[in-house]
Amino acid sequence: MQKGLRYEGTDLRYTKARVDVDVTSADVTGRTATPQLTDHTRLYFALTPQEVEDGSPECEESSLPRTMTFARGTDGTWLLASDRVDEAGGPLPATEVDEARFDPAA
């Protein structure tokens, strides 16, 4: 809930997104699955054709390596338990809340 409020505080508007995922490894042990992947995301800004023609960037792009953990529920479905971004490649995009520095009390 608090994380969602952090996103609401941004002034970013997009009209569509494209996300491609490359899974580099996956480990399934008991009721836990841990894939490591890289998501390649393209978020298209809410711009007019004239703004794009005038030189505004059409989209924001990022590629983020991630480690995700899924837990199998009692009904057999897999639920996302955590999503950790490897920040070694540089700063996070504006749309990504830094879990390591996220203070739910803020």
Side-chain angles (χ1 to χ4, degrees):
M1 172 85 171
Q2 293 297 323
K3 185 175 178 179
L5 293 174
R6 295 258 317 254
Y7 282 117
E8 285 181 11
T10 65
D11 187 28
L12 301 171
R13 295 176 311 180
Y14 303 102
T15 57
K16 65 182 177 178
R18 178 178 176 149
V19 180
D20 296 307
V21 176
D22 294 323
V23 178
T24 54
S25 69
D27 179 50
V28 179
T29 306
R31 301 181 72 80
T32 303
T34 308
Q36 292 185 328
L37 55 95
T38 301
D39 77 59
H40 306 281
T41 301
R42 184 177 279 191
L43 301 173
Y44 292 86
F45 295 115
L47 298 173
T48 65
Q50 184 63 49
E51 289 171 314
V52 173
E53 187 177 312
D54 289 344
S56 294
E58 184 180 16
C59 63
E60 174 182 342
E61 295 182 72
S62 64
S63 290
L64 296 173
R66 299 178 176 277
T67 299
M68 302 176 100
T69 302
F70 293 87
R72 184 177 291 193
T74 56
D75 63 355
T77 60
W78 289 96
L79 304 172
L80 180 63
S82 71
D83 175 8
R84 186 172 29 105
V85 175
D86 176 7
E87 295 180 58
L92 292 173
T95 55
E96 189 73 32
V97 171
D98 184 350
E99 291 288 341
R101 295 185 190 100
F102 177 65
D103 177 6

